[in-house]
């Protein structure tokens, strides 16, 4: 769908809904009506720089101003600077930001510091509780609250999916030869042993035209894949009694060795691949499997290929040939995500709240997760079931069903005080792995860094936060 057509259609819908009778008002309409008293105000919102910001800059921000008279100033900040900027604004008391995008794993730090405004009273005042129940449980139950209070509305259904080439997996000759060799059907791998066997088989048959798989390997994303695999193989990050790091045991070593070994059936130089390198290889048809976030699936189908903002995305050579599945072992990492929050130092708290309620509402969020050029992914039950979304390309129903199932089974990112420091330690460890260092030595160093961070934070403080996180259903596989 062309952006201009989509914008026009959505704008008409929004304006139509804004004039609906009071009895028919939903959370979006309620927010609009309540916000009109703040017409002439300007609110600021921190948003990830780049593609993500095109949503409030080109779409939702202008719509909100048209509906309410409130202007939206978008403060674009690179992801790796967002936490620091938000905390600096809070500590200084400057109040430069009204609304915030918050990565859920930061919530313990920000909530305990007092940097986030509790949202419960606003949700009750403006009738938003019911619509929150439509948010998929993986995000609603794990990413919305801290210490029993709502501090953010989950707004992005990030989760890792396995993408595979249906035309290769369903080729009769490949299927017969694979089953004859391994004794089971050629299908999306259920575990990492099958992943290795399938990947090596395809590489042996089709390389250099097509390799069995490819992954992004460079910082900062591979640490999320490590978090998933480590836990699914039985690993625990810490001893819950002492908070001593336990990432350097046998499980960590097994996972690190697996990650190095699988590079052998991936394209040469894969150790240096970033997000775009891996995307390009898969869309150009040179890898048969990969794992990434939901935008890969949309772009592989050719959705949004006419958008100016997506000119950097290679034209898909595999549209109609891509299947979607759970990652091996069936519990994919949710991987990052975003919440919408209100800054505790905002001078326009209610106006900021009403904007994020409208953004996050069933109606507006459904429009936003269909924007082809941003990276917001479906996160509501109504998104997965939307007939409009399911008609966007032939395999969209399978895509949405897989996102829904993956979210239901998803594993949470580790979320502790100063989580960014633990993430940095894991990221550096994986970079050392690709550089050829000894896996055990890397893991021992990572564990020492974990322990140093924990001691700096305070063992008892961190133990309390870890206990809460580890008790969540998405923390460790049951």
């Amino acid at each position: 769908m062309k952006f201009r057509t989509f914008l026009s259609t959505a704008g008409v819908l929004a304006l139509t809904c804004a004039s609906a009778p009071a009895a028919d008002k939903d959370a979006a309409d309620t927010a609009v009506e309540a916000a009109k008293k703040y017409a002439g105000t300007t609110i600021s919102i921190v948003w990830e720089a780049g593609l993500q910001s095109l949503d409030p800059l080109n779409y939702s921000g202008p719509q909100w101003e048209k509906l309410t008279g409130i202007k939206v100033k978008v403060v674009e900040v690179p992801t790796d600077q967002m936490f620091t900027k938000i905390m600096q604004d809070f500590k200084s008391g400057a109040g430069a930001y009204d609304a915030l995008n918050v990565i859920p794993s930061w919530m313990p730090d920000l909530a305990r510091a007092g940097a986030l405004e509790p949202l419960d009273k606003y949700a009750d005042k403006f009738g938003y509780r019911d619509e929150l129940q439509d948010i998929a449980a993986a995000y609603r139950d794990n990413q919305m609250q801290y210490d029993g209070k709502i501090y953010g509305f989950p707004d992005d259904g990030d989760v890792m999916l396995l993408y595979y080439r249906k035309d290769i997996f369903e080729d009769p000759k490949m299927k017969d030869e694979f089953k004859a060799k391994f004794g089971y059907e050629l299908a999306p791998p259920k575990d990492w042993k099958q992943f290795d066997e399938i990947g090596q088989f395809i590489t042996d048959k089709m390389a250099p035209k097509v390799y069995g798989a490819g992954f992004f390997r460079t910082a900062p994303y591979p640490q999320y894949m490590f978090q998933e695999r480590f836990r699914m193989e039985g690993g625990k990050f810490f001893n819950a009694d002492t908070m001593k790091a336990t990432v350097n045991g046998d499980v960590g070593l097994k996972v690190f060795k697996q990650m190095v070994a699988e590079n052998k059936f991936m394209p040469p130089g894969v150790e240096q691949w970033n997000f775009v390198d891996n995307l390009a290889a898969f869309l150009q048809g040179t890898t048969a499997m990969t794992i990434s976030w939901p935008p890969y699936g949309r772009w592989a189908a050719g959705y949004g290929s006419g958008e100016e903002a997506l000119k950097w995305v290679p034209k898909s050579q595999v549209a109609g040939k891509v299947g979607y599945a759970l990652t091996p072992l069936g519990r994919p990492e949710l991987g990052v995500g975003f919440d919408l929050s209100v800054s505790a130092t905002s001078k326009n708290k209610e106006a900021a709240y009403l904007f994020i309620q409208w953004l996050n509402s069933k109606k507006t969020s459904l429009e936003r997760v269909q924007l082809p050029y941003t990276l917001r992914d479906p996160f509501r039950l109504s998104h997965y079931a939307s007939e409009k979304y399911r008609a966007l390309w032939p395999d969209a129903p399978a895509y949405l069903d897989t996102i829904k199932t993956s979210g239901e089974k998803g594993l949470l990112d580790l979320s502790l005080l100063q989580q960014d420091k633990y993430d940095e330690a894991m990221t550096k460890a994986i970079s050392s792995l690709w550089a050829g260092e000894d896996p055990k030595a890397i893991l021992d160093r990572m564990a020492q860094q974990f322990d140093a961070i924990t001691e700096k934070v305070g063992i008892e403080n961190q133990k309390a936060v870890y206990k809460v996180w580890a008790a969540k259903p998405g923390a460790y596989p049951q």
Side-chain angles (χ1 to χ4, degrees):
M1 180 185 296
K2 294 292 185 186
F3 168 59
R4 195 171 300 168
T5 303
F6 181 73
L7 178 60
S8 174
T9 303
V12 169
L13 283 171
L15 289 170
T16 301
C17 293
S19 60
D24 297 333
K25 284 180 182 174
D26 56 19
D29 298 329
T30 300
V32 168
E33 289 304 314
K36 287 178 180 176
K37 64 182 176 184
Y38 297 109
T41 303
T42 297
I43 58 172
S44 63
I45 185 164
V46 174
W47 214 282
E48 182 186 38
L51 277 182
Q52 293 269 23
S53 284
L54 295 183
D55 173 344
L57 285 170
N58 295 349
Y59 185 71
S60 54
Q63 272 204 60
W64 181 247
E65 182 177 358
K66 187 181 296 183
L67 292 166
T68 66
I70 299 174
K71 292 185 177 180
V72 178
K73 176 186 176 184
V74 181
V75 183
E76 291 192 67
V77 180
T79 313
D80 60 358
Q81 299 176 26
M82 290 175 76
F83 176 83
T84 302
K85 292 278 189 183
I86 291 170
M87 195 62 94
Q88 285 175 341
D89 182 65
F90 166 68
K91 288 183 175 178
S92 72
Y97 311 140
D98 297 304
L100 307 168
N101 269 249
V102 174
I103 290 178
S105 63
W106 300 342
M107 192 171 282
D109 257 325
L110 294 172
R112 285 170 66 105
L116 304 180
E117 178 76 1
L119 302 180
D120 297 78
K121 65 180 179 182
Y122 300 101
D124 291 333
K125 180 177 180 180
F126 297 108
Y128 196 42
R129 291 265 182 194
D130 288 347
E131 282 205 16
L132 289 172
Q133 295 307 306
D134 180 55
I135 295 175
Y139 311 103
R140 186 190 66 229
D141 294 349
N142 293 308
Q143 300 182 350
M144 190 165 70
Q145 296 183 329
Y146 184 77
D147 199 21
K149 297 178 182 177
I150 300 174
Y151 286 101
F153 297 144
D155 196 58
D156 184 12
D158 268 352
V159 66
M160 296 291 178
L161 307 180
L162 173 76
Y163 301 100
Y164 67 97
R165 286 279 299 278
K166 290 191 297 184
D167 56 326
I168 295 173
F169 278 64
E170 294 171 1
D171 179 86
K173 186 170 184 291
M174 293 286 281
K175 287 172 65 75
D176 290 346
E177 291 184 13
F178 183 85
K179 187 168 185 179
K181 183 171 184 177
F182 294 103
Y184 62 94
E185 298 290 341
L186 180 57
K190 301 295 186 188
D191 56 34
W192 289 103
K193 180 174 183 291
Q194 289 190 5
F195 177 81
D196 290 349
E197 291 172 346
I198 294 168
Q200 188 65 61
F201 175 79
I202 293 174
T203 295
D204 290 344
K205 292 289 182 184
M206 302 183 71
K209 183 179 179 181
V210 180
Y211 288 85
F215 284 157
F216 43 71
R217 290 301 204 193
T218 56
Y221 306 124
Q223 61 105 347
Y224 296 109
M225 301 178 78
F226 168 74
Q227 286 196 41
E228 174 191 326
R229 294 174 67 162
F230 173 70
R231 282 177 285 175
M232 289 308 297
E233 295 287 358
K236 300 280 188 182
F237 292 112
F238 300 94
N239 179 315
D241 295 325
T242 65
M243 279 307 291
K244 281 287 186 183
T246 51
V247 288
N248 56 336
D250 292 343
V251 175
L253 188 59
K254 175 185 176 182
V255 171
F256 263 22
K257 287 183 175 179
Q258 286 177 336
M259 291 170 69
V260 171
E262 67 201 17
N263 285 350
K264 294 176 182 174
F265 58 79
M266 296 185 184
V270 70
E271 298 88 347
Q272 301 304 316
W273 280 14
N274 58 28
F275 180 91
V276 177
D277 295 327
N278 187 49
L279 172 69
F282 190 70
L283 265 56
Q284 290 166 354
T286 57
T287 54
M289 295 186 287
T290 192
I291 291 173
S292 188
W293 287 277
Y296 268 41
R298 300 194 287 271
W299 296 337
Y303 183 62
S305 59
E307 296 296 336
E308 179 70 20
L310 295 179
K311 287 184 72 173
W312 60 275
V313 175
K315 182 175 175 56
S316 177
Q317 306 297 317
V318 294
K321 301 177 181 176
V322 175
Y324 323 107
L326 297 177
T327 57
L329 298 177
R331 296 292 304 273
E333 185 84 3
L334 293 179
V336 195
F338 283 102
D339 281 358
L340 294 171
S341 299
V342 172
S343 170
T345 56
S346 167
K347 299 177 180 62
N348 304 292
K349 289 179 183 175
E350 187 163 286
Y353 170 81
L354 291 167
F355 179 50
I356 68 170
Q357 173 169 313
W358 176 78
L359 281 175
N360 191 244
S361 66
K362 287 173 67 172
K363 184 165 54 186
T364 310
S365 66
L366 177 59
E367 297 165 1
R368 293 171 53 235
V369 296
Q370 293 176 81
L371 295 174
Y373 52 81
T374 65
L375 304 175
R376 286 297 206 254
D377 302 313
F379 61 91
R380 285 180 171 273
L381 302 180
S382 54
H383 295 167
Y384 306 139
S386 166
E387 290 304 319
K388 182 179 178 183
Y389 201 133
R390 295 174 81 86
L392 291 180
W393 69 91
D395 288 329
Y399 171 78
L400 288 169
D401 290 345
T402 307
I403 293 175
K404 179 176 183 289
T405 304
S406 295
E408 290 169 350
K409 296 177 178 294
L411 290 178
L412 296 172
D413 300 344
L414 183 62
S415 180
L416 302 175
L417 301 177
Q418 297 198 9
Q419 181 57 45
D420 57 321
K421 302 292 192 303
Y422 295 96
D423 291 345
E424 183 180 358
M426 285 188 278
T427 297
K428 287 182 176 177
I430 293 168
S431 295
S432 298
L433 191 66
W434 306 143
E437 289 189 40
D438 175 63
K440 185 64 170 71
I442 297 170
L443 286 163
D444 287 343
R445 187 166 66 240
M446 182 164 71
Q448 291 170 0
Q449 292 169 343
F450 273 27
D451 288 342
I453 298 164
T454 303
E455 289 172 12
K456 186 174 181 180
V457 171
I459 292 174
E460 294 305 316
N461 283 339
Q462 198 68 291
K463 187 189 295 185
V465 174
Y466 179 68
K467 182 179 179 182
V468 171
W469 176 85
K472 294 182 177 180
Y476 286 108
Q478 303 299 313

